Amino acid sequence: MIRAPAFLSGLGRAYIGVVLLFLYLPLIIMAAMSFNASPFYQLPFEGTTEWYAALAKNDGLIAATLNSLQIAVMTTIIATVLGTAASLALFRYDFFGKRVLQALLFPPIAIPWLISGTAMLIFFFGTGIGRGLHAILLGHVALALPYVIIVVSARLQTFSRDLEDAAASLGASAWQTTRKVTLPCIAPGIVAGGLFAFAVSFDQFVVSYFLATPGQTTLPVEIYAAIRKGFTPEINAVSTIIIVFSMSMMLVVSRFFRFGGDQ
């Protein structure tokens, strides 16, 4: 193993530190200000939990948060199941138009969400689906599905078909082979795809804004509406709770599936 000179090693650590500081410093400041007594972020800092108490009484933010969580969980389940099934089909079978279908997975990711939201709004109205939480769920599943398929398909590229052939030669049915051999081997990819689906859904603003109805909004839409009326530290409080929950979930998942390797 070739070791880098001490100077380059220190420079690399400093660069990583600067990048992490750039990413996390705004989040740390926002979390700190959720405990600041001043609603205008005045210093010196005075600790308080009044904004969390105010958040508990803010029915609009709580309802929007619950809507976002419900839609994100349902989107994750639906997109992960459908995406994994589609990935297995693309991996196992050759059929006419397969390459075209694989190529068509990337444009939905590259197309700006503003255009996707407008197209969904027109389509849903034209087909009678309309707007509301059900429409938001359909829109989020459509956006998350390509991410799941691409991530799971990438994991399948490192999976050896010899394992499935060995299971079949020992008398396992197609479903037994999938359940006991294939799925356990690609489980980290499935979990990663599910996390992508959850993040895409929970953080989605544009599509949710187009498809939401008054009184049935998601958290990003509710935060946008609150900022237009006047920013309150209650938004910092709910954002801090979500950040702590999300990072805790990521740490737990990465610990059990070892996305970073053995260490």
Side-chain angles (χ1 to χ4, degrees):
M1 180 178 179
I2 301 177
R3 295 185 177 273
F7 171 75
L8 293 179
S9 179
L11 186 64
R13 291 192 182 96
Y15 173 75
I16 294 174
V18 170
V19 172
L20 292 176
L21 184 66
F22 177 78
L23 291 175
Y24 286 100
L25 185 60
L27 301 179
I28 294 172
I29 293 175
M30 182 189 67
M33 287 304 169
S34 70
F35 294 98
N36 191 4
S38 172
F40 305 107
Y41 306 141
Q42 293 177 350
L43 298 175
F45 184 91
E46 296 182 10
T48 183
T49 58
E50 64 175 297
W51 305 118
Y52 289 87
L55 173 63
K57 301 176 182 179
N58 193 322
D59 295 334
L61 274 177
I62 293 176
T65 302
L66 293 177
N67 286 338
S68 288
L69 286 173
Q70 181 181 6
I71 292 173
V73 170
M74 294 178 66
T75 297
T76 301
I77 295 173
I78 296 172
T80 302
V81 172
L82 295 180
T84 301
S87 300
L88 288 173
L90 292 172
F91 174 72
R92 288 176 172 174
Y93 307 111
D94 289 322
F95 50 87
F96 178 76
K98 176 180 176 179
R99 300 300 180 188
V100 175
L101 288 176
Q102 289 176 320
L104 290 176
L105 291 173
F106 292 95
I109 297 177
I111 294 174
W113 283 338
L114 179 63
I115 298 176
S116 298
T118 305
M120 288 181 184
L121 178 62
I122 296 172
F123 176 76
F124 287 171
F125 263 109
T127 56
I129 296 175
R131 299 166 63 192
L133 296 181
H134 66 287
I136 295 175
L137 175 61
L138 291 175
H140 286 193
V141 170
L143 291 177
L145 206 55
Y147 290 91
V148 177
I149 296 175
I150 290 173
V151 172
V152 176
S153 295
R155 179 69 180 181
L156 282 168
Q157 295 304 314
T158 63
F159 175 74
S160 175
R161 292 191 180 185
D162 293 339
L163 296 176
E164 291 186 335
D165 295 337
S169 66
L170 293 174
S173 64
W175 168 241
Q176 289 175 326
T177 301
T178 301
R179 183 168 58 90
K180 295 184 178 181
V181 178
T182 309
L183 292 182
C185 289
I186 65 172
I190 296 174
V191 173
L195 291 176
F196 266 109
F198 185 89
V200 167
S201 175
F202 193 83
D203 190 49
Q204 180 54 240
F205 167 74
V206 177
V207 172
S208 300
Y209 183 78
F210 276 101
L211 300 179
T213 57
Q216 289 187 321
T217 61
T218 59
L219 184 60
V221 178
E222 186 68 21
I223 290 177
Y224 174 73
I227 291 175
R228 292 182 63 186
K229 298 175 184 176
F231 189 86
T232 64
E234 297 166 41
I235 297 176
N236 287 342
V238 69
S239 299
T240 301
I241 294 173
I242 292 171
I243 290 171
V244 172
F245 171 77
S246 301
M247 295 189 70
S248 300
M249 184 176 65
M250 286 295 299
L251 289 174
V252 170
V253 171
S254 62
R255 168 66 180 85
F256 282 101
F257 286 92
R258 295 184 178 181
F259 290 130
D262 293 334
Q263 299 182 356

